[in-house]
Amino acid sequence: MRHGLSVPCFGTGVDAELVAAWAAAAESAGWDGFFLWDHLFAFAAGPVDAVDPWIALAAAACATERIRLGILVTPLPRRRPLVVARQSVTLDRLSHGRLVLGVGTGAGPYEWDYCGEQADPAVRGDMLDEHLEVLARLWTGEPVRHQGRHYRAAGPDWSAVCYPPPVQQPRIPVWVGGSWPGTRPFRRAARWDGVVPMRPDGRWEVADTAAVAARMAELRAPDAPPFDLAVPGETAGGDPARQQRYAEHAAAGATWWVEAVHPWRYGWTDDWTSAGEPRTGWPLAAMRERIEAGP
């Protein structure tokens, strides 16, 4: 099993330079993957720094040589296929074939309804499926003509050619995120290269890993290509029991452990003074310490 980190794209003091430093520290500490969230706004009131994940990961690619880089997850329904094709291939080539593209439908009205985006989650699911279909074709570098319900890349005598193709072949790995237990996200994930499950209602357990692994085995053909199951978790850097936790999830079918390094696990709260200042600072030192402790 490989081990990755999941970090927010927002927080006081978080910018592209810091993300690059985190990624370099993760690589030095022995992590196998460094994954950034993709949100327009922080999960907090008041002014909180936020960074564009694509630009930040480009900085991380320039600061590292080995570690896998990716977004977990990007809500494709609010991005255009032709733009994502250019961004993802540019990042894959810049990193010499180290990109993983995590995708999902997104959630939260403040990034959808309130911004004039599609509010219906079911429609966003349709958009995601169509987007992925177009994106995979664009990655080939061959001419693409597409006139779908939600996206278009076609003219009277014109096709879209997004050249060059990515370094990774047959495509950049696509991991699909979804809340467990669920149905549609996992059917979708089975058609791609990996799944990133989560439980909004609590801690991820070994039984959850085993259940998702069994579900993927049901949905995928026996001779299908290798498939990644990236499970979420939190461990302390100095806790010797963490290796046992990794082993238990690996035995249940996980191929990646994704360590969530976020401020809430270190006591940060969304609590502001009457003067508009946070009562508790963003725990950058504690987050950096967990990164440097390694898997």
Side-chain angles (χ1 to χ4, degrees):
M1 185 167 69
R2 287 181 284 184
H3 304 83
L5 294 165
S6 169
V7 298
C9 63
F10 54 80
T12 303
V14 174
D15 58 16
E17 185 176 6
L18 179 62
V19 169
W22 277 347
E27 183 169 86
S28 296
W31 295 96
D32 302 300
F34 180 84
F35 305 111
L36 197 59
W37 302 3
D38 183 358
H39 291 284
L40 295 173
F41 308 104
F43 296 171
V48 179
D49 302 341
V51 64
D52 181 88
W54 295 93
I55 295 175
L57 284 179
C62 293
T64 57
E65 296 179 352
R66 173 194 59 82
I67 198 168
R68 278 264 173 189
L69 303 169
I71 298 176
L72 290 186
V73 296
T74 191
L76 282 190
R78 64 172 165 81
R79 295 185 175 275
R80 307 301 297 181
L82 290 164
V83 175
V84 174
R86 288 298 189 200
Q87 291 175 321
S88 57
V89 170
T90 299
L91 187 51
D92 189 63
R93 295 180 73 86
L94 178 64
S95 65
H96 304 289
R98 291 186 283 135
L99 178 63
V100 173
L101 181 62
V103 302
T105 55
Y110 54 87
E111 293 191 341
W112 297 95
D113 321 29
Y114 305 165
C115 298
E117 299 286 356
Q118 176 56 246
D120 187 334
V123 176
R124 293 204 299 266
D126 295 339
M127 294 172 71
L128 175 54
D129 288 330
E130 184 180 337
H131 195 306
L132 286 172
E133 175 194 341
V134 179
L135 185 59
R137 294 170 60 198
L138 292 169
W139 279 340
T140 67
E142 300 294 328
V144 173
R145 288 182 60 84
H146 178 82
Q147 297 186 70
R149 179 182 177 189
H150 302 288
Y151 304 107
R152 174 174 177 163
D157 57 356
W158 178 87
S159 300
V161 179
C162 288
Y163 197 85
V167 171
Q168 298 182 87
Q169 292 296 322
R171 62 173 174 245
I172 295 168
V174 174
W175 293 357
V176 177
S179 295
W180 181 260
T183 303
R184 191 175 182 185
F186 296 91
R187 290 201 307 263
R188 178 181 298 119
R191 301 193 296 268
W192 297 93
D193 309 299
V195 64
V196 188
M198 62 174 289
R199 286 194 71 100
D201 58 348
R203 173 180 168 180
W204 191 260
E205 303 289 352
V206 174
D208 297 316
T209 297
V212 173
R215 180 64 173 148
M216 292 297 101
E218 293 173 0
L219 293 170
R220 289 174 58 80
D223 58 347
F227 185 83
D228 280 308
L229 169 50
V231 301
E234 297 177 15
T235 61
D239 183 6
R242 70 186 189 280
Q243 299 298 333
Q244 179 62 30
R245 286 190 66 193
Y246 300 155
E248 290 172 351
H249 284 275
T255 63
W256 279 84
W257 173 274
V258 181
E259 182 80 19
V261 180
H262 54 71
W264 297 276
R265 64 181 284 185
Y266 299 108
W268 183 87
T269 59
D270 179 14
D271 187 17
W272 297 73
T273 68
S274 58
E277 297 293 333
R279 294 187 187 277
T280 56
W282 199 264
L284 293 178
M287 294 169 68
R288 177 66 180 247
E289 182 179 352
R290 180 64 193 96
I291 293 170
E292 291 180 339

